[in-house]
Amino acid sequence: MKRLFMLSLAVAFGWGARAQVTERERPSDWKYLVEGARFMDRLQPMKGEVLSADVWGADSVRPRLVDNGIELAGTSFWGGNILREPDGKYHLFVCGWPENSPKGHMFWPNSTVYHAVGERLEGPYTVRDTIGKGHNPEAFRLADGRVVVYVIDGYYIAPSVKGPWQYRRFTFNTRNRNIVEGLSNLTFARRPDGSYLMVCRGGGVWISRDGLAPYEQLSDRSVYPPVEGRFEDPVVWRDSLQYHLIVNDWLGRIAYYQRSKDGLHWVTEQGEAYVPGVSVHPDGRVEHWFKYERPKVFQDESGRAVQMNFAVIDTIKWEDQPNDNHSSKNICIPLNPGLRLEVLNKEPITAGTKAIEVRIRAEQGFNPQKDIDVRSLRFGSFTEVNFGRGSKVVRTRKEGKDLIAVFDGAGSGIGPDEFAPKLLGRGKKGGLLYGYASLPYVDYRPAMLSAAYPMYDKERQALILEVKNYGLSASRPSRVAVLADGRTLAEGEVGKLLPYGVQELRMKTAFAPTAKELSTLTVVFYTDGQEVRRDILRY
């Protein structure tokens, strides 16, 4: 509660009315969340060695750690993420513009993408060269090692971080779907086969087989939480287990955290992913930046997010004028990476499961046999564990350097849709322990059948439907039904499809649909008699 109080100080300063900030009412049950429930609880104190008050900025951000992230007198920075090279150096791709630009911060549409280098992950970063014009960059590597730096409306590509850079544009295949709120502020996650999943600003999901070829739209609606919000700044990543997505409600200044097995179907965890005031020094001092936007993550060898980068500004954007004391920069905040966990039960966990065995893996700097307060551990669905409930440990055993924790099966809350149950607890020194466990019976590379909007052949009274497998494994033969206004318009069979395989179905229609009925169609896939996917397609 103390941290939440600190995080609300920026609002108490009276900035809300001037910035048209809307305070979102939190769900009533959030007040019962335990530490570790919120993604925000994973944010750790900032790193840096140079604390200075002799810098630009409002009093709320001075003194600050000037060697954290990147800042430079005379330049306003925004956005950006970090790649690590084999030589151990870190490369930040960030955009910026002269602080004395005629429109101040609102000069951002004319920003330049900079390539900056640092010896440490947290910075400081020094500009090495420029790449070209562009805003809101996000860098990623292709399977062949080339580096892509996305910017709004295009991207730069080079053989390595050293360049030379070429500017190109992506192509997009909507597959007869309406684009979910435009194609800007894109964010990318590499899939195990080297393909890429992309989430656009509005929460639409797209897939590209190599990260450059046409991005094809899968979703027919936003995957963001079904709550009121002005959403932007999505950031998506995949670790060795699952996908993660954070999206920011810029008006409410609250971000939400989601997880997914396949990148298309998401669950939203309770609590804030971040809010203003999360930039805390080791001594508890807070850098109270007015806005925290464009979050990006840096991942370790296991894919775990170990640092977040934010674009921050000390005042309302349009009050940052040329040659004044206001500006913006990029900051780095470490993240608790979490534990590496796996469930050992071979059979699906149900309410009748007597015991759940979880392997807690040892790693450098962490000895699970000595460092865990075992009695504090809770395990199960996030809907239980985040509120202090869940299964408790009944016994443990050692296996090599790992610890096997055996939990009482009662109260886990794990149901048939669970793909990554959660663990919360404390270390013997009081630090937060958390993690998500793999389940041996869950397919983490599932097939994903998706239908394009069908074409109606009025003369032959047939429906022509294209089905494609966007998943990472072969699909099983499935039945497909097309519904119009609740009635079954046509049915057919889809055979086994390899990843990225396509099948075109020509199905006889059961009735002549009207133009209104054809404007919205529902395509349902059934495997072994069970519904596995439902596409709602609007023409």
Side-chain angles (χ1 to χ4, degrees):
M1 294 302 294
K2 180 179 180 180
R3 165 167 274 200
L4 288 177
F5 172 74
M6 293 296 292
L7 298 178
S8 67
L9 287 181
V11 176
F13 289 163
W15 289 334
R18 295 189 293 129
Q20 299 181 342
V21 170
T22 295
E23 288 303 304
R24 304 293 190 198
E25 183 178 356
R26 282 21 175 195
S28 59
D29 62 345
W30 282 17
K31 62 185 176 182
Y32 301 113
L33 292 172
V34 300
E35 186 175 4
R38 298 170 171 86
F39 184 92
M40 189 169 69
D41 296 335
R42 305 174 197 178
L43 296 172
Q44 298 180 326
M46 301 170 70
K47 294 180 180 180
E49 298 176 356
V50 182
L51 184 66
S52 177
D54 187 21
V55 286
W56 57 263
D59 291 342
S60 59
V61 298
R62 294 185 299 117
R64 66 173 174 270
L65 295 170
V66 294
D67 59 339
N68 178 283
I70 186 170
E71 67 172 274
L72 181 65
T75 303
S76 296
F77 291 106
W78 203 248
N81 71 306
I82 299 165
L83 299 180
R84 186 176 187 270
E85 284 293 284
D87 64 4
K89 292 185 179 180
Y90 299 93
H91 296 256
L92 169 66
F93 297 89
V94 63
C95 66
W97 56 93
E99 194 280 330
N100 63 2
S101 298
K103 295 183 179 181
H105 185 90
M106 303 316 291
F107 192 75
W108 66 261
N110 302 290
S111 58
T112 296
V113 179
Y114 296 104
H115 169 209
V117 181
E119 299 289 337
R120 299 180 307 216
L121 179 57
E122 70 272 12
Y125 286 88
T126 303
V127 173
R128 173 172 290 180
D129 52 27
T130 60
I131 294 177
K133 293 296 182 182
H135 196 63
N136 290 345
E138 179 170 309
F140 60 91
R141 280 193 182 89
L142 300 177
D144 62 11
R146 286 181 294 170
V147 177
V148 174
V149 179
Y150 159 78
V151 293
I152 292 178
D153 292 333
Y155 68 92
Y156 294 92
I157 187 168
S160 73
V161 295
K162 298 178 181 179
W165 299 94
Q166 293 182 331
Y167 180 79
R168 299 177 183 175
R169 291 180 182 271
F170 290 122
T171 55
F172 303 95
N173 178 2
T174 63
R175 303 175 64 240
N176 298 102
R177 289 164 161 79
N178 292 326
I179 296 175
V180 182
E181 198 196 319
L183 287 170
S184 65
N185 297 348
L186 311 183
T187 181
F188 306 83
R190 184 174 175 177
R191 305 204 300 174
D193 68 342
S195 62
Y196 270 85
L197 177 141
M198 179 269 281
V199 178
C200 65
R201 175 186 172 121
V205 175
W206 304 66
I207 296 290
S208 169
R209 191 163 183 178
D210 64 2
L212 295 180
Y215 277 87
E216 301 182 359
Q217 187 172 201
L218 272 72
S219 55
D220 49 66
R221 73 214 83 168
S222 175
V223 298
Y224 294 158
V227 298
E228 183 179 3
R230 301 284 186 87
F231 293 120
E232 65 173 8
D233 300 350
V235 57
V236 65
W237 70 99
R238 188 187 188 280
D239 58 24
S240 60
L241 177 62
Q242 60 188 334
Y243 295 86
H244 307 261
L245 175 65
I246 290 177
V247 64
N248 180 39
D249 169 12
W250 64 264
L251 183 62
R253 295 198 301 175
I254 173 178
Y256 296 86
Y257 170 58
Q258 300 177 276
R259 297 183 293 108
S260 173
K261 178 179 67 172
D262 58 14
L264 186 59
H265 305 90
W266 296 84
V267 296
T268 303
E269 290 215 27
Q270 307 92 342
E272 302 90 343
Y274 63 86
V275 295
V278 292
S279 41
V280 182
H281 295 185
D283 63 1
R285 183 192 301 270
V286 180
E287 296 180 10
H288 282 295
W289 298 97
F290 181 69
K291 280 281 191 179
Y292 296 72
E293 296 187 352
R294 311 300 175 213
K296 303 296 178 187
V297 300
F298 182 86
Q299 298 173 253
D300 68 7
E301 295 79 5
S302 299
R304 295 175 298 183
V306 297
Q307 179 176 280
M308 288 195 79
N309 286 68
F310 291 95
V312 293
I313 187 170
D314 65 324
T315 188
I316 305 169
K317 293 179 181 179
W318 53 82
E319 289 189 359
D320 177 10
Q321 297 295 316
N323 298 311
D324 65 3
N325 193 43
H326 300 299
S327 193
S328 55
K329 64 172 290 188
N330 193 285
I331 64 171
C332 302
I333 301 180
L335 287 168
N336 182 331
L339 305 179
R340 295 186 300 158
L341 310 172
E342 59 182 294
V343 169
L344 302 182
N345 298 52
K346 301 300 182 184
E347 297 298 321
I349 297 171
T350 67
T353 299
K354 300 298 183 183
I356 303 172
E357 295 194 347
V358 180
R359 179 188 298 277
I360 305 176
R361 292 197 174 275
E363 55 186 300
Q364 185 175 2
F366 174 68
N367 183 342
Q369 299 172 6
K370 296 181 178 180
D371 297 342
I372 298 176
D373 176 1
V374 173
R375 292 179 299 178
S376 72
L377 298 181
R378 298 292 183 271
F379 184 77
S381 169
F382 72 94
T383 59
E384 300 298 315
V385 173
N386 284 348
F387 293 94
R389 304 186 295 264
S391 299
K392 299 179 181 180
V393 175
V394 292
R395 62 184 178 275
T396 63
R397 69 175 186 272
K398 299 177 181 179
E399 192 167 297
K401 295 182 179 181
D402 300 338
L403 181 70
I404 310 300
V406 182
F407 291 84
D408 184 344
S412 74
I414 295 175
D417 295 329
E418 181 63 67
F419 58 90
K422 187 174 184 178
L423 179 143
L424 279 181
R426 314 295 304 184
K428 285 188 176 178
K429 294 183 179 180
L432 171 67
L433 299 177
Y434 84 94
Y436 297 93
S438 62
L439 294 168
Y441 50 84
V442 169
D443 179 6
Y444 290 98
R445 300 186 180 188
M448 287 196 297
L449 295 179
S450 179
Y453 194 92
M455 302 299 294
Y456 177 54
D457 186 336
K458 185 176 182 181
E459 183 177 335
R460 294 179 174 80
Q461 294 186 328
L463 208 63
I464 304 169
L465 182 71
E466 180 186 281
V467 176
K468 186 170 181 176
N469 178 11
Y470 288 90
L472 300 176
S473 61
S475 66
R476 299 167 61 187
S478 303
R479 181 172 66 88
V480 59
V482 180
L483 311 181
D485 199 22
R487 295 189 296 166
T488 300
L489 176 61
E491 293 183 284
E493 298 292 328
V494 180
K496 175 182 176 180
L497 287 178
L498 296 175
Y500 312 105
V502 179
Q503 182 175 343
E504 183 177 278
L505 305 181
R506 181 177 290 270
M507 302 174 290
K508 198 72 174 175
T509 54
F511 57 91
T514 65
K516 180 180 179 181
E517 289 173 323
L518 286 172
S519 66
T520 302
L521 296 175
T522 301
V523 181
V524 187
F525 294 95
Y526 299 89
T527 302
D528 295 334
Q530 300 293 318
E531 180 179 326
V532 294
R533 175 160 172 75
R534 179 175 291 243
D535 281 334
I536 300 176
L537 307 177
R538 296 178 175 85
Y539 185 72

